[in-house]
Structure formats: structure tokens, C-alpha cells
Amino acid sequence: MTELRQRVAHEPDAPPEDKESESEAKVDGETASDSESRAESAPLPVSADDTPEVLNRALSNLSSRWKNWWVRGILTLAMIAFFFIIIYLGPMVLMIIVMCVQIKCFHEIITIGYNVYHSYDLPWFRTLSWYFLLCVNYFFYGETVTDYFFTLVQREEPLRILSKYHRFISFTLYLIGFCMFVLSLVKKHYRLQFYMFGWTHVTLLIVVTQSHLVIHNLFEGMIWFIVPISCVICNDIMAYMFGFFFGRTPLIKLSPKKTWEGFIGGFFATVVFGLLLSYVMSGYRCFVCPVEYNNDTNSFTVDCEPSDLFRLQEYNIPGVIQSVIGWKTVRMYPFQIHSIALSTFASLIGPFGGFFASGFKRAFKIKDFANTIPGHGGIMDRFDCQYLMATFVNVYIASFIRGPNPSKLIQQFLTLRPDQQLHIFNTLRSHLIDKGMLTSTTEDE
Amino acid sequence: MLELRHRGSCPGPREAVSPPPREGEAAGGDHETESTSDKETDIDDRYGDLDSRTDSDIPEIPPSSDRTPEILKKALSGLSSRWKNWWIRGILTLTMISLFFLIIYMGSFMLMLLVLGIQVKCFHEIITIGYRVYHSYDLPWFRTLSWYFLLCVNYFFYGETVADYFATFVQREEQLQFLIRYHRFISFALYLAGFCMFVLSLVKKHYRLQFYMFAWTHVTLLITVTQSHLVIQNLFEGMIWFLVPISSVICNDITAYLFGFFFGRTPLIKLSPKKTWEGFIGGFFSTVVFGFIAAYVLSKYQYFVCPVEYRSDVNSFVTECEPSELFQLQTYSLPPFLKAVLRQERVSLYPFQIHSIALSTFASLIGPFGGFFASGFKRAFKIKDFANTIPGHGGIMDRFDCQYLMATFVHVYITSFIRGPNPSKVLQQLLVLQPEQQLNIYKTLKTHLIEKGILQPALKV
């Protein structure tokens, strides 16, 4: 393991093998000058260039700056195409992809922690980090999966026991990891070990909770997954374009490349894009219906009667826009109104997730989280703005769209004690009578 | 803001001028840091010297002044230093225990306030350690942000739990209804505001420190606030679920210490050289016996056994109910080997006492790991105690480190083995639904209850 330490220590001497050396120099100049350490320090050099040979040869003639632009562009299109393929393949594949992205993000952030603290050699630590990831995923999947696969779980005896005592089992697994951590504390490395413990937990908090909220949103209906993610991606691209063509006023010192023109242009473009996209998607059942697990066919089905949110309605256009467009009413899906809220969040608050990640990268003097995607950096680089979006969509749905799930409530009711059931029943009854939904005489049915 | 920034840029361990010391002793600490830092600059430049040094290079944070009251000092001035310490610890232990009894007498609401007070103090202690470790008193906005996040998370949790239990009270007030319905959204918006403030407050030279403090705050919140809310939820199940676990942990602490004092020989773990295997095992057995007896005594009183409810007519908490089966005496036939020992065929026990064995076992076997965790933490940051709030004992956190895991365990235990979902929560969710959905559910429930015989079909109430 010591050779790893030496390798990391020697890297600064080698010149970073980056293609966009001119533009990099400007950024590097800034980070080097904002020295948290007095001496001149080079940023952590990126690992070997991952661009496939094919692309390298095809673009070998262009200048370095345009080459980079092309590589980024091609990879962007490749990722978007990949996204469409996955959507086509269905919810199960999407869930698996979300899980993989989560694991990769976790791996990237933990690796940064190892590099920062030179803590490859800490006993047990890598094992423990992955173990905690497993525990937390087990806990969350158990909570969500049991809700959606209720009938399947009730049928199989081992699954039923696992689900009944789920919290206890998850807690026990976590405790084992905790005790292992305490037993693994080594005399000279207490502080490092506590740092890595804290680092692991914060990473879990960020990465795993978000990914499970994404899956929750997915189960509400694929449109709740696709529209927010597309809005964030669109905002990224639009803000970049607007900034490229019109950018003049810098937005925030953290990210000197961002400009106010890009920010505002991206906002309007994203809102329009969100409106159009939700209009297109609201027409199809496969996007709009909640994902359900069909016990008979043992697969996911997305078939239902679309809710009110996804039925065309007539809206009166307010006077001020009437004069502009010349229409009196417009037919829209109510969901499009919600999409305005989602796009607004994606454009205004989403970038803060990006600034957070930029600050993090500057704090630890890294250029990218990893080098998984050529031209773009790591998976985490692509998903940093999504970070807050998933939570917002989940909170939005819980607060404004749907209330608690009635069938789930009935399930919970059935597990209560008889006296509690009676108490709830009577309270509900008096509530309904108060509201006039029920009169005492109808009791006799 | 400019001067805040200036003060903030004054800095770090590497500049020649140390920041104005908040406590007189801190200046000494800074000097040490500077001399050692020069040696390390070559290798660890890139990531800052604070991170990669081994523990031995970190200077100790000197403890703050002794806070033992003058009275005690005068009374004990005659004794030698060792016995003086023993007496101080003893007196403070008795004081804390009596305070505990007093608050129990005063009722659940006071207990809730006590738990909240302890949580805030623990949070404060841990955050202060973070400040001292990173010399980050001068970071702009940071103290404000830490307290703001504490407020947000508490608001979120109290809203989730309290709304359940005060359902009737909440239904009456219109503004509270609004707050409850959009509770998650409001909490999230508040948290977001704090998050955006953090991002906007990032200052050029202090990114790393700020991220560290951000993470430190969040991990502290995760530890202290979630535990304290689980404690309050346990409390609402019945005060016995609050008292027996906490007393078991305290008893384990004390009896393990006593057993170790008198019989201790084999060290238990390198982290805490004072702990011994004799203390550990002796503590385990005495805690199980203590838990058994305490459960027996407390199970008799409705005051301890009944779930805490809020009655809107009297506007206070009441603990009155028909004790559940768990708290009604039952006769158990003893297994053969116990029969021979005790020469009795049967014994009358509360079923809760069986559960108390599980709770005491956890308190004695796993609880100490919370203590080891805190010891490791103190060694890692070279502090003797978390703070100096309680003379002879250290900070509040020192007393509560073993409780840390206990509260979660009790909560998980209750939800897994004792009761199902919370009835008031189910009711609350029912009332939020659309009237048509409520009617449908009502009909389904009615059919179900009649089937089970819980509801008489001819009953007209």
C-alpha cells in the first residue's frame, strides 16, 4: 500500500495531461492563487485520458479547443440517447440504472475522501464504507419495496417475516457495522478514522436518500421522473448556450464561468421546454400512470385511467396575454401548470447544487469528481444539480398532488389493535356525520 | 460584511498572527500548531496540514476552567485529591438522579422540555469542539447557520411527531391546519434557504473549512436530533418506555464502574483502559436484575404505563387508560431448572419484565459501544471531556454518550415487537383525504369490523 502513497505524493511533478490546456490555465491560475496553503500547489492531476481511440483519431485534425467542444457534444448526445433507450426499456431497468448511478456516485465521493486523507491503508475502512452503503440501501429498499409489492410480499413466507421485522433487522445490521467501526479504531489514526466515518455518513445522506426519492417519484408515474431530470439537463445546456453567446456579467465567484445572462436565459428556456415536454408526455398512458406490480403476470404494468391532472382542460387566458396571442382560451393539461413550478425550481435553485459541488471541488482542489465520462468528468459532475431536484419533486408531490394512499391506510388500519380500530372508526364516523356525508339513519345498511 | 471577511481571512494556523484568543488558553495551542505545521508543508501542502497528520501532531485543546462550586470545594478541602474527586462525582451523581426524579414527578411535558434542553446543549458542545478543532470561530455566518439548521431539523421533527399526538388540538386552529398540511414543503423550503445561504457564504480562502463545518453540523444533527426525537416518541408510548431504558444504561454505568473498582483485572478494550471484563460482565448481570425489578415496580402504576395523550378538554397531558396486556400480571410456568432453584411451580410476572430483559441486555452489551465511540472521539480530538458543564463529570454529552444507541433500539423494538403503526397518525391521514375517499374507506372498515365481530351490526350510536 505504501507505493500508492508515494505515487500520490509524486504526481504533482508530472504535468497534467489535459487537452484544453489554455482554458485550464486560467482556471488553474485562479485556484492556485486562492491558496489555502501558501506554497504553490498543482491541482490533483486527472487520471489518464479516457476518450476512446476512435474519437481521438477522428478529431485529431481540429484544434484543441474545438476538439474538446466536439467531444463534449458527442458525449452529451450519447448520454441523451442512452436516456431514451432506458426509458423505452421500462421502470425495472430504470430502477437498476438509478441504483448503479447511486453506487458510482458513492464510490467517486468516497475515493476523493481516501485521496484527501491518504487513508487507503486504514484497516477495514473500505469494507465498512461499502457495508454501510449496503445497510442503508437495504433499509430504504425494504421500506419502499414493501409498499409497492405488498401482495407479493405477503404471499411468500420468508419475505413476510423480513418485512414485518424489517426495521429491527436493518438496525441490527447497522449496529454490527457501528461496532466493527469502534473495534477497528487504531491508536494513531483515531482522527482519520472518525473523519472517514463522518465522510461516509454524509455521503450516504446525500447520495442514497436522493436516489430513493427518485425511485419514489418514478413509481408515481414516469413523467414525474422524466420531466424534472430533463428540466435540469435542459437548464444546464441552455444556460451554457446563453452564456456562450450573450454572457457578460459574472454570476457568482464560485463558478466564474456562469453569467447572469446564462442564468436568466436558461430559466426562460427551461420553463418553455418544460411546458412543451409535459404537453407531449401527458398524452401517453405509459408515462402518466403510476407504476404497479401486477401479481398475476409478475411484471410491472403502467395502465390506468389517467387522473384529472392529465386530462385536457380549458383555461381562460388572462387579459394581458390575450391581447398578445389573440386566443381567448387555451387547452392545457393541469400538469403543465405544475411543470412550471418544477422548471422554475430546476433553473433557480438547482444551480445551487452545482455551486455546492463547485465549492466542494475547489475546497479539495480537484477538477472533476472522477474521469468516467470523457469531456464531462465523473458521474457526480453530471448529477450534482439533480441533487436537490429529486427531494423537491418528492416533497411537491406529497404536499400538493396526492394525499396519503387510501389502500395503504387500510393496510395500516388492519394491523392495529381492535380497540384502536374501533376508536378510529368512531372518530371517522363522527367526522363524516359532521361533514354531512353520512347521516345516522344510513347506519342501518 | 467586509470586516467579517477580514476577520475571517486572518486565519489559520499558518499565519504569524494568531486570531484573538476567545479563551486565554487557546493562544498557547495556536503557537504549537504553527511550529509543527512548517515541518509538514512539503508533503501535505496540497490538502492542508490539518488533515493528514497523525494524531500525535495535533496539540491538545486545554480544558476550560474548573467549575466546581465554591461550597463543595470548601467542604472537601480537608481530603486528599483522589477522595475529593470521588466525593464530587458522588454528590453530583446523587444530585442528577434526584433532579431526574423531580422531573418525572412533574410530568411528561417537563420531560419533553428536558429532552429538548439536553439536545440543544449536546449540539452546542459538539459544535464548539468543531470550532476549536478548526479554529473556525471567524468563519462568516457559520454559527448562525449551524443554529439555523438545528432549528429547521427540530421544526421538521416536532411537526411530524407533535402533529400526530396533538391531532385534536390541531384540528381546531385554522393556521395550524395549514402548517400541518404543507409541513414537509415548509420544512424543506426552510432547509433550502439555509443551504443556499451556505453556498452564498463560501469565502475564497476557506472553502475547505466551511465544508468541514457543514458536514460536522450535519453529522451532529443526525446524531443528536434524531435520537432526541426517538426518545420523545418512546416517551409518548408510556413513560415506562422512557424510564426503564435510561435507568438501565445509568445502572450499567454505575455497576460496571463499581465491579471494575472492586474486582477489575482484565482490560476490556484499548480505547478505554479503565474498563475491565469483570466490570462489563458484573454490570451486565446487575443491570438485568435491576431492569427486572424496576419494570416490576413501575408496571403497577397507570401513570407510567399508559400512553401519553393530550386531552383538549383539559388542555393538558393525561396518562389514564386501561393498562394493556403487557402490564397485567400473568402467571408463567417456570422451566425445570429454575423450578429446582426457586422451588416454585409458577411465578407471577408482568410480560413487560420479559421485554425489560431484552432492553437491559442491549443496554449492557451494546450501549458501552456508544461510550467507546465517544472515547475514541475524545482521543481523536485530544479532549478530556466534551465540556465542563457538570463538575466532576464533564459535559452533558459525556453523560449521554451511552444513551445514544439505546433510544434508537427502544424505538425499533417497540415498532417491531410491541405495537403496529401509530393509530393517531392513521387517523390524521384519514382526515386529510377527500370526502368521497373517506366514505369508501368508512364502508370498507365497517364491513371489516363487523366481520371480526368488533362492531355489532345492530348497534345504533
Side-chain angles (χ1 to χ4, degrees):
Chain A
M1 270 301 186
T2 43
E3 61 225 8
L4 265 172
R5 276 210 177 167
Q6 281 169 349
R7 201 159 35 106
V8 176
H10 277 131
E11 295 260 43
D13 305 328
E17 9 168 70
D18 233 350
K19 279 178 294 174
E20 27 176 325
S21 36
E22 316 105 273
S23 43
E24 281 322 304
K26 276 194 228 121
V27 179
D28 290 352
E30 274 198 44
T31 46
S33 66
D34 91 15
S35 49
E36 288 168 55
S37 55
R38 231 190 281 131
E40 303 285 308
S41 49
L44 183 64
V46 288
S47 10
D49 189 11
D50 270 1
T51 325
E53 269 312 298
V54 167
L55 274 178
N56 261 335
R57 261 184 271 133
L59 302 167
S60 53
N61 295 329
L62 301 165
S63 79
S64 172
R65 182 160 173 251
W66 281 107
K67 190 154 90 171
N68 187 56
W69 214 92
W70 271 105
V71 171
R72 275 184 83 105
I74 290 175
L75 259 304
T76 307
L77 290 174
M79 289 195 289
I80 293 179
F82 187 60
F83 190 40
F84 282 144
I85 293 176
I86 309 257
I87 293 175
Y88 177 74
L89 287 177
M92 187 72 189
V93 177
L94 265 172
M95 263 176 73
I96 296 179
I97 296 289
V98 169
M99 176 128 182
C100 293
V101 168
Q102 172 210 105
I103 293 180
K104 191 72 182 67
C105 287
F106 181 78
H107 176 70
E108 284 180 6
I109 301 183
I110 290 288
T111 312
I112 292 176
Y114 290 154
N115 288 335
V116 170
Y117 293 113
H118 306 293
S119 59
Y120 271 118
D121 325 336
L122 279 184
W124 283 99
F125 216 78
R126 297 168 95 179
T127 320
L128 274 176
S129 304
W130 288 105
Y131 178 80
F132 281 129
L133 176 70
L134 202 74
C135 281
V136 181
N137 264 317
Y138 175 75
F139 173 68
F140 276 117
Y141 270 109
E143 297 267 302
T144 48
V145 161
T146 4
D147 291 349
Y148 292 107
F149 292 87
F150 189 67
T151 31
L152 172 71
V153 165
Q154 292 297 343
R155 267 193 326 214
E156 312 278 338
E157 199 44 40
L159 286 185
R160 204 179 63 81
I161 297 187
L162 278 183
S163 126
K164 187 159 151 60
Y165 298 107
H166 179 251
R167 284 198 178 181
F168 192 74
I169 296 174
S170 315
F171 182 63
T172 314
L173 289 175
Y174 177 81
L175 263 191
I176 293 176
F178 182 81
C179 295
M180 286 309 309
F181 168 71
V182 172
L183 293 173
S184 79
L185 288 173
V186 176
K187 205 165 184 184
K188 288 204 190 310
H189 301 284
Y190 290 145
R191 185 181 282 223
L192 274 189
Q193 291 183 288
F194 271 93
Y195 279 165
M196 289 311 297
F197 187 77
W199 190 288
T200 306
H201 278 69
V202 177
T203 311
L204 285 174
L205 196 72
I206 296 178
V207 169
V208 179
T209 52
Q210 299 305 308
S211 84
H212 279 273
L213 291 176
V214 167
I215 293 182
H216 265 286
N217 299 342
L218 180 68
F219 273 91
E220 275 300 305
M222 277 174 48
I223 200 172
W224 289 104
F225 170 79
I226 297 174
V227 168
I229 290 187
S230 321
C231 285
V232 174
I233 295 176
C234 168
N235 185 61
D236 257 353
I237 298 177
M238 289 296 147
Y240 179 76
M241 298 276 189
F242 274 87
F244 190 77
F245 290 117
F246 307 114
R248 252 179 323 225
T249 339
L251 179 61
I252 189 175
K253 269 203 230 115
L254 258 184
S255 296
K257 286 186 191 168
K258 312 259 184 217
T259 56
W260 275 102
E261 290 82 5
F263 188 69
I264 297 181
F267 168 58
F268 285 111
T270 309
V271 170
V272 171
F273 172 80
L275 278 172
L276 291 174
L277 183 70
S278 27
Y279 182 77
V280 167
M281 295 199 117
S282 298
Y284 299 92
R285 274 202 194 167
C286 69
F287 293 129
V288 152
C289 292
V291 174
E292 271 159 46
Y293 184 75
N294 198 334
N295 293 300
D296 319 319
T297 60
N298 258 9
S299 69
F300 288 100
T301 49
V302 269
D303 211 8
C304 67
E305 195 56 43
S307 78
D308 287 335
L309 218 51
F310 303 104
R311 290 202 208 131
L312 279 173
Q313 286 181 21
E314 298 265 341
Y315 287 92
N316 296 322
I317 303 184
V320 76
I321 309 186
Q322 246 180 39
S323 40
V324 171
I325 306 186
W327 287 342
K328 285 245 169 46
T329 58
V330 69
R331 288 174 59 96
M332 284 202 311
Y333 294 99
F335 180 72
Q336 292 184 269
I337 317 278
H338 291 296
S339 82
I340 297 182
L342 297 180
S343 320
T344 309
F345 184 87
S347 339
L348 297 186
I349 310 290
F352 278 90
F355 299 149
F356 186 82
S358 294
F360 181 83
K361 286 189 277 192
R362 279 168 190 275
F364 296 100
K365 296 205 188 313
I366 52 180
K367 186 183 171 302
D368 285 319
F369 278 91
N371 222 19
T372 322
I373 311 174
H376 283 269
I379 299 272
M380 198 61 205
D381 287 294
R382 286 303 93 214
F383 285 89
D384 53 19
C385 294
Q386 306 279 358
Y387 164 53
L388 295 169
M389 192 75 206
T391 321
F392 177 76
V393 175
N394 191 275
V395 169
Y396 190 86
I397 293 178
S399 303
F400 297 111
I401 306 293
R402 67 162 171 85
N405 187 0
S407 39
K408 187 169 169 185
L409 276 182
I410 295 186
Q411 287 162 21
Q412 285 184 320
F413 182 84
L414 295 175
T415 59
L416 290 172
R417 294 194 311 257
D419 55 320
Q420 292 171 321
Q421 290 182 348
L422 204 55
H423 171 71
I424 291 184
F425 178 75
N426 287 329
T427 315
L428 183 64
R429 191 162 159 275
S430 29
H431 175 80
L432 283 174
I433 291 180
D434 279 343
K435 291 257 178 177
M437 301 284 304
L438 206 62
T439 55
S440 334
T441 49
T442 58
E443 277 300 279
D444 271 344
E445 292 166 32
Chain B
M1 258 311 193
L2 200 59
E3 59 218 6
L4 265 175
R5 281 212 180 161
H6 240 298
R7 225 182 345 136
S9 61
C10 252
R14 267 170 247 95
E15 302 289 297
V17 182
S18 49
R22 304 284 156 134
E23 295 159 23
E25 308 83 0
D30 288 335
H31 271 300
E32 290 180 43
T33 333
E34 283 145 30
S35 52
T36 43
S37 70
D38 295 332
K39 285 185 240 154
E40 304 277 336
T41 32
D42 308 321
I43 307 174
D44 299 305
D45 266 350
R46 280 181 291 126
Y47 299 116
D49 56 1
L50 209 51
D51 305 324
S52 349
R53 283 184 287 175
T54 54
D55 290 350
S56 47
D57 298 331
I58 319 279
E60 270 197 40
I61 298 180
S64 4
S65 48
D66 184 17
R67 284 185 43 178
T68 326
E70 274 308 304
I71 323 169
L72 274 178
K73 274 201 196 145
K74 261 188 261 144
L76 303 166
S77 52
L79 303 163
S80 77
S81 169
R82 182 161 170 250
W83 281 109
K84 189 155 90 174
N85 191 50
W86 212 91
W87 271 104
I88 293 181
R89 276 185 83 105
I91 290 176
L92 259 303
T93 307
L94 291 173
T95 315
M96 289 194 290
I97 292 180
S98 349
L99 190 69
F100 189 40
F101 282 147
L102 186 68
I103 301 204
I104 292 173
Y105 178 72
M106 293 208 287
S108 350
F109 189 66
M110 290 305 297
L111 268 173
M112 263 178 69
L113 284 182
L114 178 71
V115 170
L116 182 65
I118 291 178
Q119 174 211 101
V120 172
K121 191 72 182 69
C122 287
F123 181 78
H124 176 69
E125 284 178 8
I126 302 184
I127 290 287
T128 312
I129 292 175
Y131 289 154
R132 282 195 278 172
V133 168
Y134 292 112
H135 305 286
S136 59
Y137 269 120
D138 319 332
L139 278 184
W141 283 100
F142 216 77
R143 299 168 94 177
T144 321
L145 274 176
S146 305
W147 289 104
Y148 178 81
F149 280 128
L150 176 69
L151 204 73
C152 281
V153 181
N154 264 318
Y155 175 75
F156 172 69
F157 276 116
Y158 271 108
E160 296 268 301
T161 49
V162 161
D164 296 347
Y165 291 106
F166 289 86
T168 37
F169 177 69
V170 163
Q171 296 296 342
R172 279 190 318 209
E173 312 279 338
E174 213 27 63
Q175 299 98 328
L176 289 184
Q177 276 273 32
F178 175 78
L179 282 181
I180 296 289
R181 193 164 152 67
Y182 298 109
H183 179 251
R184 287 200 175 179
F185 192 74
I186 295 174
S187 313
F188 182 61
L190 288 175
Y191 178 81
L192 263 191
F195 182 81
C196 295
M197 284 311 307
F198 169 71
V199 171
L200 292 173
S201 79
L202 289 173
V203 177
K204 208 166 184 184
K205 291 195 193 310
H206 299 283
Y207 290 146
R208 185 181 287 217
L209 274 190
Q210 291 183 291
F211 271 93
Y212 280 165
M213 290 312 297
F214 186 77
W216 190 289
T217 306
H218 278 68
V219 176
T220 311
L221 284 174
L222 194 74
I223 296 178
T224 54
V225 178
T226 52
Q227 299 303 309
S228 83
H229 279 274
L230 291 175
V231 166
I232 291 180
Q233 284 200 297
N234 298 341
L235 179 67
F236 273 91
E237 274 299 305
M239 274 170 55
I240 200 173
W241 289 104
F242 170 79
L243 292 174
V244 168
I246 291 189
S247 329
S248 298
V249 174
I250 295 175
C251 168
N252 185 61
D253 257 353
I254 297 175
T255 47
Y257 177 75
L258 289 175
F259 271 88
F261 189 77
F262 290 118
F263 307 115
R265 252 178 323 224
T266 340
L268 180 61
I269 190 174
K270 264 191 251 148
L271 258 183
S272 297
K274 287 187 192 166
K275 311 261 183 210
T276 57
W277 274 102
E278 289 82 6
F280 188 69
I281 295 180
F284 167 59
F285 284 111
S286 24
T287 308
V288 170
V289 170
F290 170 82
F292 205 70
I293 298 177
Y296 182 76
V297 167
L298 290 178
S299 297
K300 295 200 194 152
Y301 302 93
Q302 269 192 11
Y303 182 66
F304 294 123
V305 151
C306 293
V308 175
E309 275 164 14
Y310 181 78
R311 289 270 172 82
S312 32
D313 28 339
V314 294
N315 252 12
S316 70
F317 290 97
V318 288
T319 46
E320 262 172 32
C321 66
E322 194 58 40
S324 80
E325 286 165 359
L326 216 53
F327 302 104
Q328 285 168 8
L329 275 173
Q330 286 183 21
T331 38
Y332 291 91
S333 339
L334 288 173
F337 62 90
L338 276 180
K339 249 193 244 185
V341 170
L342 294 172
R343 270 175 272 118
Q344 277 183 323
E345 288 268 326
R346 300 170 184 285
V347 69
S348 275
L349 283 184
Y350 294 100
F352 180 71
Q353 291 183 270
I354 318 278
H355 292 295
S356 81
I357 297 181
L359 297 181
S360 317
T361 309
F362 183 87
S364 338
L365 298 186
I366 311 289
F369 277 91
F372 299 150
F373 185 82
S375 295
F377 181 84
K378 286 189 277 192
R379 277 168 195 276
F381 296 100
K382 294 203 185 317
I383 51 181
K384 189 183 169 304
D385 285 318
F386 277 91
N388 226 17
T389 322
I390 311 175
H393 284 268
I396 298 274
M397 199 61 204
D398 286 296
R399 288 301 94 215
F400 285 90
D401 52 18
C402 296
Q403 305 278 1
Y404 164 52
L405 294 169
M406 191 75 206
T408 321
F409 177 74
V410 174
H411 181 81
V412 170
Y413 191 86
I414 293 178
T415 45
S416 301
F417 298 112
I418 308 293
R419 70 160 171 87
N422 184 5
S424 9
K425 192 161 188 149
V426 176
L427 183 62
Q428 193 207 357
Q429 288 182 314
L430 272 176
L431 294 174
V432 168
L433 289 174
Q434 301 294 328
E436 300 82 27
Q437 291 172 313
Q438 287 178 343
L439 204 55
N440 285 333
I441 292 185
Y442 173 77
K443 292 188 185 141
T444 319
L445 296 184
K446 190 169 167 207
T447 330
H448 169 81
L449 286 176
I450 292 177
E451 267 176 49
K452 292 264 175 177
I454 300 172
L455 195 63
Q456 309 303 320
L459 196 65
K460 243 211 279 199
V461 178

Short mmCIF file of all heavy atoms in Angstrom, two decimals, chain A residues 14 36 53 62 78 118 121 137 147 203 209 334 396:
data_model
loop_
_atom_site.label_atom_id
_atom_site.label_comp_id
_atom_site.label_asym_id
_atom_site.label_seq_id
_atom_site.Cartn_x
_atom_site.Cartn_y
_atom_site.Cartn_z
N ALA A 14 4.47 15.61 -12.35
CA ALA A 14 4.12 15.37 -13.76
C ALA A 14 3.13 16.41 -14.23
O ALA A 14 2.20 16.75 -13.51
CB ALA A 14 3.51 13.97 -13.89
N GLU A 36 -5.09 28.04 -0.06
CA GLU A 36 -5.31 27.76 1.34
C GLU A 36 -4.01 27.28 1.94
O GLU A 36 -3.84 27.18 3.11
CB GLU A 36 -6.42 26.71 1.51
CG GLU A 36 -7.77 27.31 1.18
CD GLU A 36 -8.82 26.23 1.07
OE1 GLU A 36 -8.97 25.48 2.02
OE2 GLU A 36 -9.47 26.16 0.02
N GLU A 53 -10.17 5.73 -28.52
CA GLU A 53 -9.22 5.98 -29.59
C GLU A 53 -9.90 6.48 -30.86
O GLU A 53 -9.41 7.35 -31.56
CB GLU A 53 -8.46 4.68 -29.91
CG GLU A 53 -7.19 4.55 -29.10
CD GLU A 53 -6.37 5.82 -29.13
OE1 GLU A 53 -5.93 6.24 -30.22
OE2 GLU A 53 -6.18 6.41 -28.07
N LEU A 62 -8.57 18.73 -35.64
CA LEU A 62 -9.06 20.01 -35.15
C LEU A 62 -8.17 20.56 -34.05
O LEU A 62 -7.43 19.84 -33.40
CB LEU A 62 -10.48 19.84 -34.61
CG LEU A 62 -11.47 19.32 -35.63
CD1 LEU A 62 -12.71 18.84 -34.91
CD2 LEU A 62 -11.83 20.41 -36.61
N ALA A 78 -24.70 11.18 -26.81
CA ALA A 78 -24.68 9.75 -26.45
C ALA A 78 -25.44 9.51 -25.16
O ALA A 78 -26.22 8.57 -25.05
CB ALA A 78 -23.23 9.27 -26.32
N HIS A 118 -5.34 10.28 2.51
CA HIS A 118 -4.34 9.22 2.34
C HIS A 118 -4.72 8.01 3.17
O HIS A 118 -3.91 7.42 3.85
CB HIS A 118 -2.96 9.67 2.83
CG HIS A 118 -2.50 10.94 2.21
ND1 HIS A 118 -2.19 11.04 0.87
CD2 HIS A 118 -2.33 12.17 2.72
CE1 HIS A 118 -1.85 12.28 0.61
NE2 HIS A 118 -1.91 12.98 1.71
N ASP A 121 -4.88 2.95 3.65
CA ASP A 121 -4.37 1.87 4.48
C ASP A 121 -5.13 1.67 5.76
O ASP A 121 -4.80 0.80 6.54
CB ASP A 121 -2.91 2.12 4.87
CG ASP A 121 -2.18 2.81 3.75
OD1 ASP A 121 -2.62 2.69 2.60
OD2 ASP A 121 -1.18 3.49 4.04
N ASN A 137 -29.02 0.98 1.91
CA ASN A 137 -29.84 0.60 0.76
C ASN A 137 -30.85 -0.46 1.12
O ASN A 137 -32.01 -0.40 0.71
CB ASN A 137 -28.95 0.07 -0.36
CG ASN A 137 -28.62 1.16 -1.35
OD1 ASN A 137 -29.48 1.92 -1.73
ND2 ASN A 137 -27.37 1.23 -1.75
N ASP A 147 -44.04 -1.47 0.31
CA ASP A 147 -45.27 -0.76 -0.01
C ASP A 147 -45.81 -1.18 -1.37
O ASP A 147 -46.98 -1.49 -1.52
CB ASP A 147 -45.00 0.75 -0.07
CG ASP A 147 -44.71 1.30 1.30
OD1 ASP A 147 -44.92 0.58 2.28
OD2 ASP A 147 -44.26 2.45 1.37
N THR A 203 -21.92 11.30 2.90
CA THR A 203 -22.11 10.84 1.51
C THR A 203 -23.36 9.99 1.39
O THR A 203 -24.15 10.15 0.45
CB THR A 203 -20.90 10.02 1.06
OG1 THR A 203 -19.72 10.73 1.37
CG2 THR A 203 -20.97 9.74 -0.42
N THR A 209 -30.25 8.84 -0.03
CA THR A 209 -31.61 9.35 0.15
C THR A 209 -32.13 9.93 -1.15
O THR A 209 -33.29 9.69 -1.53
CB THR A 209 -31.66 10.42 1.24
OG1 THR A 209 -30.68 11.40 0.97
CG2 THR A 209 -31.42 9.83 2.61
N PRO A 334 -53.49 20.18 -16.73
CA PRO A 334 -53.14 20.82 -15.46
C PRO A 334 -51.70 20.52 -15.06
O PRO A 334 -51.06 21.31 -14.38
CB PRO A 334 -54.12 20.18 -14.46
CG PRO A 334 -55.28 19.75 -15.28
CD PRO A 334 -54.73 19.37 -16.62
N TYR A 396 -42.93 18.03 -3.28
CA TYR A 396 -44.00 18.67 -4.03
C TYR A 396 -45.17 17.72 -4.23
O TYR A 396 -46.33 18.07 -4.01
CB TYR A 396 -43.44 19.11 -5.39
CG TYR A 396 -44.35 20.00 -6.20
CD1 TYR A 396 -44.35 21.36 -6.00
CD2 TYR A 396 -45.20 19.47 -7.16
CE1 TYR A 396 -45.16 22.19 -6.74
CE2 TYR A 396 -46.03 20.28 -7.90
CZ TYR A 396 -46.00 21.65 -7.69
OH TYR A 396 -46.81 22.45 -8.43
#
